Each structure stands twice: as structure tokens, then as C-alpha cells.
mmCIF file of all heavy atoms in Angstrom:
data_model
loop_
_atom_site.group_PDB
_atom_site.id
_atom_site.type_symbol
_atom_site.label_atom_id
_atom_site.label_comp_id
_atom_site.label_asym_id
_atom_site.label_seq_id
_atom_site.Cartn_x
_atom_site.Cartn_y
_atom_site.Cartn_z
ATOM 1 N N ALA A 27 100.399 105.494 106.097
ATOM 2 C CA ALA A 27 99.079 106.071 106.023
ATOM 3 C C ALA A 27 98.117 105.086 106.705
ATOM 4 O O ALA A 27 98.199 103.834 106.578
ATOM 5 C CB ALA A 27 98.623 106.305 104.585
ATOM 6 N N PRO A 28 97.092 105.557 107.447
ATOM 7 C CA PRO A 28 96.087 104.620 108.021
ATOM 8 C C PRO A 28 95.232 103.977 106.914
ATOM 9 O O PRO A 28 94.931 104.620 105.896
ATOM 10 C CB PRO A 28 95.219 105.637 108.869
ATOM 11 C CG PRO A 28 95.433 106.924 108.338
ATOM 12 C CD PRO A 28 96.889 106.963 107.701
ATOM 13 N N VAL A 29 94.906 102.665 107.179
ATOM 14 C CA VAL A 29 94.075 101.966 106.167
ATOM 15 C C VAL A 29 92.607 102.260 106.445
ATOM 16 O O VAL A 29 92.164 102.123 107.627
ATOM 17 C CB VAL A 29 94.422 100.422 106.295
ATOM 18 C CG1 VAL A 29 93.414 99.711 105.345
ATOM 19 C CG2 VAL A 29 95.849 100.199 105.974
ATOM 20 N N ARG A 30 91.875 102.699 105.502
ATOM 21 C CA ARG A 30 90.451 102.999 105.757
ATOM 22 C C ARG A 30 89.722 101.839 106.261
ATOM 23 O O ARG A 30 89.881 100.754 105.727
ATOM 24 C CB ARG A 30 89.862 103.538 104.439
ATOM 25 C CG ARG A 30 90.171 104.943 104.024
ATOM 26 C CD ARG A 30 89.334 105.470 102.971
ATOM 27 N NE ARG A 30 89.325 104.549 101.834
ATOM 28 C CZ ARG A 30 89.917 104.855 100.669
ATOM 29 N NH1 ARG A 30 90.519 106.013 100.409
ATOM 30 N NH2 ARG A 30 89.884 103.978 99.754
ATOM 31 N N GLY A 31 88.872 102.136 107.246
ATOM 32 C CA GLY A 31 87.983 101.054 107.767
ATOM 33 C C GLY A 31 88.643 100.081 108.740
ATOM 34 O O GLY A 31 88.023 99.155 109.157
ATOM 35 N N ARG A 32 90.006 100.308 108.940
ATOM 36 C CA ARG A 32 90.722 99.326 109.912
ATOM 37 C C ARG A 32 91.314 100.213 111.027
ATOM 38 O O ARG A 32 92.015 101.149 110.845
ATOM 39 C CB ARG A 32 91.879 98.774 109.153
ATOM 40 C CG ARG A 32 91.510 97.897 107.957
ATOM 41 C CD ARG A 32 90.873 96.676 108.349
ATOM 42 N NE ARG A 32 90.556 95.728 107.264
ATOM 43 C CZ ARG A 32 90.728 94.471 107.212
ATOM 44 N NH1 ARG A 32 91.381 93.839 108.222
ATOM 45 N NH2 ARG A 32 90.368 93.725 106.131
ATOM 46 N N ASN A 33 91.002 99.825 112.253
ATOM 47 C CA ASN A 33 91.394 100.520 113.411
ATOM 48 C C ASN A 33 92.843 100.242 113.711
ATOM 49 O O ASN A 33 93.291 99.063 113.836
ATOM 50 C CB ASN A 33 90.540 100.114 114.654
ATOM 51 C CG ASN A 33 89.128 100.723 114.618
ATOM 52 O OD1 ASN A 33 89.066 101.924 114.450
ATOM 53 N ND2 ASN A 33 88.188 99.863 114.663
ATOM 54 N N HIS A 34 93.634 101.259 113.803
ATOM 55 C CA HIS A 34 95.053 101.135 114.216
ATOM 56 C C HIS A 34 95.860 100.245 113.226
ATOM 57 O O HIS A 34 96.904 99.693 113.564
ATOM 58 C CB HIS A 34 95.247 100.645 115.568
ATOM 59 C CG HIS A 34 94.439 101.447 116.614
ATOM 60 N ND1 HIS A 34 94.696 102.841 116.709
ATOM 61 C CD2 HIS A 34 93.418 101.229 117.414
ATOM 62 C CE1 HIS A 34 93.866 103.317 117.646
ATOM 63 N NE2 HIS A 34 93.038 102.317 118.082
ATOM 64 N N GLU A 35 95.504 100.251 111.971
ATOM 65 C CA GLU A 35 96.217 99.512 110.954
ATOM 66 C C GLU A 35 96.803 100.542 109.991
ATOM 67 O O GLU A 35 96.021 101.477 109.552
ATOM 68 C CB GLU A 35 95.347 98.473 110.223
ATOM 69 C CG GLU A 35 96.104 97.657 109.174
ATOM 70 C CD GLU A 35 95.316 96.479 108.575
ATOM 71 O OE1 GLU A 35 94.325 96.126 109.156
ATOM 72 O OE2 GLU A 35 95.656 96.076 107.476
ATOM 73 N N TYR A 36 98.035 100.318 109.525
ATOM 74 C CA TYR A 36 98.681 101.357 108.626
ATOM 75 C C TYR A 36 99.326 100.646 107.456
ATOM 76 O O TYR A 36 99.819 99.450 107.625
ATOM 77 C CB TYR A 36 99.805 102.106 109.447
ATOM 78 C CG TYR A 36 99.232 102.935 110.546
ATOM 79 C CD1 TYR A 36 98.921 102.416 111.802
ATOM 80 C CD2 TYR A 36 98.945 104.271 110.351
ATOM 81 C CE1 TYR A 36 98.353 103.240 112.776
ATOM 82 C CE2 TYR A 36 98.380 104.994 111.374
ATOM 83 C CZ TYR A 36 98.065 104.535 112.571
ATOM 84 O OH TYR A 36 97.526 105.356 113.534
ATOM 85 N N ALA A 37 99.322 101.270 106.276
ATOM 86 C CA ALA A 37 100.092 100.845 105.131
ATOM 87 C C ALA A 37 101.413 101.592 105.217
ATOM 88 O O ALA A 37 101.460 102.753 105.401
ATOM 89 C CB ALA A 37 99.282 101.152 103.932
ATOM 90 N N VAL A 38 102.477 100.792 105.083
ATOM 91 C CA VAL A 38 103.815 101.362 105.093
ATOM 92 C C VAL A 38 104.440 101.108 103.775
ATOM 93 O O VAL A 38 104.506 100.048 103.222
ATOM 94 C CB VAL A 38 104.666 100.771 106.179
ATOM 95 C CG1 VAL A 38 106.009 101.438 106.341
ATOM 96 C CG2 VAL A 38 103.910 100.690 107.496
ATOM 97 N N ILE A 39 104.995 102.250 103.138
ATOM 98 C CA ILE A 39 105.682 102.119 101.873
ATOM 99 C C ILE A 39 107.173 102.325 102.099
ATOM 100 O O ILE A 39 107.583 103.297 102.747
ATOM 101 C CB ILE A 39 105.180 103.129 100.860
ATOM 102 C CG1 ILE A 39 103.671 103.211 100.773
ATOM 103 C CG2 ILE A 39 105.847 102.942 99.463
ATOM 104 C CD1 ILE A 39 102.984 101.986 100.329
ATOM 105 N N THR A 40 107.976 101.363 101.725
ATOM 106 C CA THR A 40 109.419 101.492 101.807
ATOM 107 C C THR A 40 110.113 101.340 100.490
ATOM 108 O O THR A 40 109.586 100.692 99.573
ATOM 109 C CB THR A 40 109.992 100.467 102.802
ATOM 110 O OG1 THR A 40 109.681 99.159 102.297
ATOM 111 C CG2 THR A 40 109.391 100.571 104.225
ATOM 112 N N GLN A 41 111.280 101.890 100.350
ATOM 113 C CA GLN A 41 112.179 101.701 99.214
ATOM 114 C C GLN A 41 113.493 101.015 99.789
ATOM 115 O O GLN A 41 114.095 101.590 100.595
ATOM 116 C CB GLN A 41 112.433 102.911 98.421
ATOM 117 C CG GLN A 41 113.203 102.670 97.258
ATOM 118 C CD GLN A 41 113.552 103.935 96.336
ATOM 119 O OE1 GLN A 41 113.860 104.896 97.003
ATOM 120 N NE2 GLN A 41 113.339 103.840 95.108
ATOM 121 N N GLU A 42 113.768 99.850 99.209
ATOM 122 C CA GLU A 42 114.885 99.064 99.756
ATOM 123 C C GLU A 42 115.883 98.623 98.722
ATOM 124 O O GLU A 42 115.432 98.338 97.593
ATOM 125 C CB GLU A 42 114.381 97.893 100.540
ATOM 126 C CG GLU A 42 113.424 98.290 101.657
ATOM 127 C CD GLU A 42 112.712 97.049 102.257
ATOM 128 O OE1 GLU A 42 113.351 96.041 102.445
ATOM 129 O OE2 GLU A 42 111.500 97.117 102.469
ATOM 130 N N ARG A 43 117.078 98.376 99.126
ATOM 131 C CA ARG A 43 118.073 97.879 98.239
ATOM 132 C C ARG A 43 118.911 96.812 98.994
ATOM 133 O O ARG A 43 119.319 96.955 100.118
ATOM 134 C CB ARG A 43 119.069 98.937 97.793
ATOM 135 C CG ARG A 43 120.141 98.441 96.851
ATOM 136 C CD ARG A 43 120.936 99.521 96.267
ATOM 137 N NE ARG A 43 121.581 99.146 95.024
ATOM 138 C CZ ARG A 43 121.687 99.956 93.954
ATOM 139 N NH1 ARG A 43 121.092 101.139 94.026
ATOM 140 N NH2 ARG A 43 122.171 99.455 92.849
ATOM 141 N N THR A 44 119.135 95.650 98.309
ATOM 142 C CA THR A 44 119.958 94.557 98.939
ATOM 143 C C THR A 44 121.180 94.284 98.134
ATOM 144 O O THR A 44 121.173 94.427 96.876
ATOM 145 C CB THR A 44 119.104 93.206 98.925
ATOM 146 O OG1 THR A 44 117.797 93.497 99.534
ATOM 147 C CG2 THR A 44 119.769 92.103 99.642
ATOM 148 N N SER A 45 122.236 94.124 98.869
ATOM 149 C CA SER A 45 123.575 93.881 98.219
ATOM 150 C C SER A 45 124.301 92.725 99.023
ATOM 151 O O SER A 45 123.816 92.379 100.121
ATOM 152 C CB SER A 45 124.391 95.081 98.132
ATOM 153 O OG SER A 45 124.585 95.562 99.483
ATOM 154 N N ALA A 46 125.277 92.244 98.389
ATOM 155 C CA ALA A 46 126.120 91.227 99.082
ATOM 156 C C ALA A 46 127.522 91.379 98.731
ATOM 157 O O ALA A 46 127.943 91.465 97.622
ATOM 158 C CB ALA A 46 125.656 89.857 98.613
ATOM 159 N N ALA A 47 128.412 91.451 99.808
ATOM 160 C CA ALA A 47 129.856 91.698 99.639
ATOM 161 C C ALA A 47 130.520 90.550 99.016
ATOM 162 O O ALA A 47 131.571 90.745 98.314
ATOM 163 C CB ALA A 47 130.489 92.133 100.989
ATOM 164 N N ARG A 48 130.095 89.327 99.272
ATOM 165 C CA ARG A 48 130.838 88.172 98.879
ATOM 166 C C ARG A 48 129.947 87.269 97.941
ATOM 167 O O ARG A 48 130.128 86.080 97.846
ATOM 168 C CB ARG A 48 131.207 87.344 100.028
ATOM 169 C CG ARG A 48 132.262 88.189 100.919
ATOM 170 C CD ARG A 48 132.668 87.390 102.127
ATOM 171 N NE ARG A 48 133.354 86.125 101.763
ATOM 172 C CZ ARG A 48 133.689 85.171 102.659
ATOM 173 N NH1 ARG A 48 133.348 85.385 103.923
ATOM 174 N NH2 ARG A 48 134.249 84.097 102.290
ATOM 175 N N SER A 49 128.937 87.851 97.260
ATOM 176 C CA SER A 49 128.089 87.102 96.352
ATOM 177 C C SER A 49 127.601 87.966 95.211
ATOM 178 O O SER A 49 127.489 89.123 95.381
ATOM 179 C CB SER A 49 126.873 86.560 97.130
ATOM 180 O OG SER A 49 125.904 85.974 96.228
ATOM 181 N N GLY A 50 127.404 87.341 94.080
ATOM 182 C CA GLY A 50 126.945 88.160 92.924
ATOM 183 C C GLY A 50 125.412 88.127 92.782
ATOM 184 O O GLY A 50 124.919 88.539 91.851
ATOM 185 N N ALA A 51 124.783 87.468 93.757
ATOM 186 C CA ALA A 51 123.315 87.248 93.705
ATOM 187 C C ALA A 51 122.524 88.501 93.566
ATOM 188 O O ALA A 51 121.477 88.523 92.936
ATOM 189 C CB ALA A 51 122.876 86.439 94.947
ATOM 190 N N TYR A 52 122.994 89.603 94.145
ATOM 191 C CA TYR A 52 122.212 90.895 94.110
ATOM 192 C C TYR A 52 122.805 91.955 93.212
ATOM 193 O O TYR A 52 122.427 93.017 93.308
ATOM 194 C CB TYR A 52 122.077 91.410 95.494
ATOM 195 C CG TYR A 52 121.337 90.360 96.438
ATOM 196 C CD1 TYR A 52 122.124 89.644 97.262
ATOM 197 C CD2 TYR A 52 120.011 90.324 96.467
ATOM 198 C CE1 TYR A 52 121.490 88.691 98.151
ATOM 199 C CE2 TYR A 52 119.352 89.479 97.268
ATOM 200 C CZ TYR A 52 120.119 88.623 98.141
ATOM 201 O OH TYR A 52 119.531 87.740 99.021
ATOM 202 N N ARG A 53 123.916 91.588 92.474
ATOM 203 C CA ARG A 53 124.621 92.540 91.648
ATOM 204 C C ARG A 53 123.676 93.077 90.621
ATOM 205 O O ARG A 53 123.013 92.430 89.892
ATOM 206 C CB ARG A 53 125.736 91.806 90.963
ATOM 207 C CG ARG A 53 126.701 92.863 90.247
ATOM 208 C CD ARG A 53 127.959 92.129 89.770
ATOM 209 N NE ARG A 53 128.774 91.678 90.950
ATOM 210 C CZ ARG A 53 129.272 90.476 90.973
ATOM 211 N NH1 ARG A 53 129.110 89.606 90.081
ATOM 212 N NH2 ARG A 53 129.961 90.081 92.050
ATOM 213 N N GLY A 54 123.646 94.436 90.504
ATOM 214 C CA GLY A 54 122.888 95.107 89.537
ATOM 215 C C GLY A 54 121.341 95.234 89.943
ATOM 216 O O GLY A 54 120.520 95.794 89.122
ATOM 217 N N LEU A 55 121.033 94.759 91.101
ATOM 218 C CA LEU A 55 119.634 94.867 91.586
ATOM 219 C C LEU A 55 119.211 96.249 91.909
ATOM 220 O O LEU A 55 119.930 96.854 92.634
ATOM 221 C CB LEU A 55 119.412 93.858 92.751
ATOM 222 C CG LEU A 55 117.994 93.611 93.188
ATOM 223 C CD1 LEU A 55 117.224 92.868 92.176
ATOM 224 C CD2 LEU A 55 118.023 92.871 94.500
ATOM 225 N N ALA A 56 118.185 96.783 91.307
ATOM 226 C CA ALA A 56 117.819 98.108 91.538
ATOM 227 C C ALA A 56 116.980 98.191 92.862
ATOM 228 O O ALA A 56 116.443 97.168 93.312
ATOM 229 C CB ALA A 56 116.850 98.626 90.435
ATOM 230 N N PRO A 57 116.868 99.381 93.473
ATOM 231 C CA PRO A 57 116.123 99.537 94.660
ATOM 232 C C PRO A 57 114.663 99.115 94.403
ATOM 233 O O PRO A 57 114.153 99.409 93.297
ATOM 234 C CB PRO A 57 116.256 100.983 95.055
ATOM 235 C CG PRO A 57 117.503 101.474 94.440
ATOM 236 C CD PRO A 57 117.620 100.559 93.150
ATOM 237 N N ALA A 58 113.927 98.477 95.397
ATOM 238 C CA ALA A 58 112.617 98.010 95.149
ATOM 239 C C ALA A 58 111.654 98.650 96.124
ATOM 240 O O ALA A 58 112.003 98.981 97.225
ATOM 241 C CB ALA A 58 112.541 96.492 95.230
ATOM 242 N N TRP A 59 110.394 98.872 95.700
ATOM 243 C CA TRP A 59 109.415 99.422 96.570
ATOM 244 C C TRP A 59 108.644 98.208 97.206
ATOM 245 O O TRP A 59 108.384 97.147 96.540
ATOM 246 C CB TRP A 59 108.376 100.222 95.719
ATOM 247 C CG TRP A 59 108.970 101.438 95.161
ATOM 248 C CD1 TRP A 59 109.584 101.594 93.958
ATOM 249 C CD2 TRP A 59 109.062 102.806 95.800
ATOM 250 N NE1 TRP A 59 110.084 102.904 93.811
ATOM 251 C CE2 TRP A 59 109.627 103.627 94.904
ATOM 252 C CE3 TRP A 59 108.474 103.242 97.019
ATOM 253 C CZ2 TRP A 59 109.891 104.972 95.181
ATOM 254 C CZ3 TRP A 59 108.726 104.524 97.307
ATOM 255 C CH2 TRP A 59 109.409 105.417 96.356
ATOM 256 N N HIS A 60 108.253 98.403 98.439
ATOM 257 C CA HIS A 60 107.518 97.390 99.205
ATOM 258 C C HIS A 60 106.359 97.989 99.966
ATOM 259 O O HIS A 60 106.423 99.151 100.450
ATOM 260 C CB HIS A 60 108.436 96.646 100.143
ATOM 261 C CG HIS A 60 109.537 95.954 99.439
ATOM 262 N ND1 HIS A 60 109.408 94.843 98.625
ATOM 263 C CD2 HIS A 60 110.870 96.336 99.270
ATOM 264 C CE1 HIS A 60 110.620 94.475 98.116
ATOM 265 N NE2 HIS A 60 111.491 95.390 98.484
ATOM 266 N N VAL A 61 105.249 97.228 100.135
ATOM 267 C CA VAL A 61 104.114 97.608 100.902
ATOM 268 C C VAL A 61 104.030 96.624 102.100
ATOM 269 O O VAL A 61 103.976 95.374 101.904
ATOM 270 C CB VAL A 61 102.839 97.642 100.199
ATOM 271 C CG1 VAL A 61 101.645 98.052 100.944
ATOM 272 C CG2 VAL A 61 102.924 98.545 98.924
ATOM 273 N N THR A 62 103.798 97.156 103.269
ATOM 274 C CA THR A 62 103.640 96.222 104.418
ATOM 275 C C THR A 62 102.461 96.836 105.231
ATOM 276 O O THR A 62 102.193 98.063 105.346
ATOM 277 C CB THR A 62 104.795 96.324 105.396
ATOM 278 O OG1 THR A 62 105.968 95.749 104.564
ATOM 279 C CG2 THR A 62 104.623 95.369 106.573
ATOM 280 N N LEU A 63 101.633 95.926 105.764
ATOM 281 C CA LEU A 63 100.565 96.346 106.664
ATOM 282 C C LEU A 63 101.027 96.126 108.061
ATOM 283 O O LEU A 63 101.441 95.055 108.502
ATOM 284 C CB LEU A 63 99.285 95.556 106.390
ATOM 285 C CG LEU A 63 98.672 95.807 104.987
ATOM 286 C CD1 LEU A 63 97.444 94.857 104.848
ATOM 287 C CD2 LEU A 63 98.290 97.162 104.756
ATOM 288 N N ALA A 64 100.872 97.220 108.942
ATOM 289 C CA ALA A 64 101.206 97.128 110.366
ATOM 290 C C ALA A 64 100.093 97.504 111.223
ATOM 291 O O ALA A 64 99.453 98.528 111.046
ATOM 292 C CB ALA A 64 102.460 97.993 110.568
ATOM 293 N N THR A 65 99.814 96.678 112.280
ATOM 294 C CA THR A 65 98.787 97.018 113.279
ATOM 295 C C THR A 65 99.427 97.303 114.632
ATOM 296 O O THR A 65 100.357 96.563 114.954
ATOM 297 C CB THR A 65 97.805 95.841 113.361
ATOM 298 O OG1 THR A 65 97.289 95.558 112.049
ATOM 299 C CG2 THR A 65 96.612 96.171 114.309
ATOM 300 N N VAL A 66 98.964 98.313 115.259
ATOM 301 C CA VAL A 66 99.528 98.648 116.504
ATOM 302 C C VAL A 66 98.467 98.505 117.674
ATOM 303 O O VAL A 66 97.285 98.472 117.390
ATOM 304 C CB VAL A 66 100.039 100.094 116.596
ATOM 305 C CG1 VAL A 66 101.188 100.346 115.632
ATOM 306 C CG2 VAL A 66 98.917 101.025 116.252
ATOM 307 N N THR A 67 98.942 98.288 118.819
ATOM 308 C CA THR A 67 98.071 98.175 120.028
ATOM 309 C C THR A 67 98.671 98.910 121.178
ATOM 310 O O THR A 67 99.972 99.125 121.235
ATOM 311 C CB THR A 67 97.816 96.733 120.389
ATOM 312 O OG1 THR A 67 96.756 96.658 121.368
ATOM 313 C CG2 THR A 67 99.015 96.120 121.010
ATOM 314 N N ARG A 68 97.893 99.461 122.106
ATOM 315 C CA ARG A 68 98.415 100.182 123.195
ATOM 316 C C ARG A 68 98.679 99.207 124.320
ATOM 317 O O ARG A 68 97.883 98.328 124.646
ATOM 318 C CB ARG A 68 97.339 101.257 123.626
ATOM 319 C CG ARG A 68 97.824 102.126 124.742
ATOM 320 C CD ARG A 68 96.754 103.250 125.044
ATOM 321 N NE ARG A 68 96.990 104.357 124.044
ATOM 322 C CZ ARG A 68 96.076 105.304 123.947
ATOM 323 N NH1 ARG A 68 94.971 105.342 124.645
ATOM 324 N NH2 ARG A 68 96.313 106.334 123.092
ATOM 325 N N VAL A 69 99.793 99.543 125.060
ATOM 326 C CA VAL A 69 100.154 98.750 126.252
ATOM 327 C C VAL A 69 100.194 99.658 127.465
ATOM 328 O O VAL A 69 99.833 100.869 127.318
ATOM 329 C CB VAL A 69 101.587 98.113 126.136
ATOM 330 C CG1 VAL A 69 101.507 97.089 124.941
ATOM 331 C CG2 VAL A 69 102.584 99.122 125.843
ATOM 332 N N SER A 70 100.356 99.076 128.688
ATOM 333 C CA SER A 70 100.326 99.886 129.816
ATOM 334 C C SER A 70 101.354 101.059 129.825
ATOM 335 O O SER A 70 102.304 100.956 129.178
ATOM 336 C CB SER A 70 100.645 98.968 131.042
ATOM 337 O OG SER A 70 101.855 98.472 130.948
#
């Protein structure tokens, strides 16, 4: 979604899950929500 008052800036919502085949570090970790701000610009 575009961020109000910001030209060409967008809020991005993602749902992500991390795992590891040879480590227990992420075992049982539930998917997590993340917010990122992304700005775009036009090129030739």
C-alpha cells in the first residue's frame, strides 16, 4: 500500500517462515509478520 504523504513509498506486509535443515535454532518457530518500507524511482 502507498504510504500517505510520501511520493513513491510503499508499505509492504509479508509473512515469513525460517527453518534450518542442520540446526535446531529455528525449530518450532511460527511464521512471522514483517513490515518493510520500499521507495521506487523511475529509470530510463
Side-chain angles (χ1 to χ4, degrees):
V29 177
R30 282 193 308 249
R32 300 285 184 138
N33 288 305
H34 305 301
E35 185 173 337
Y36 295 84
V38 188
I39 312 300
T40 60
Q41 186 178 44
E42 303 169 43
R43 182 176 203 137
T44 306
S45 60
R48 300 178 60 191
S49 168
Y52 301 98
R53 189 169 297 130
L55 190 65
W59 294 88
H60 301 285
V61 179
T62 300
L63 296 178
T65 303
V66 296
T67 192
R68 183 174 280 170
V69 296
S70 62

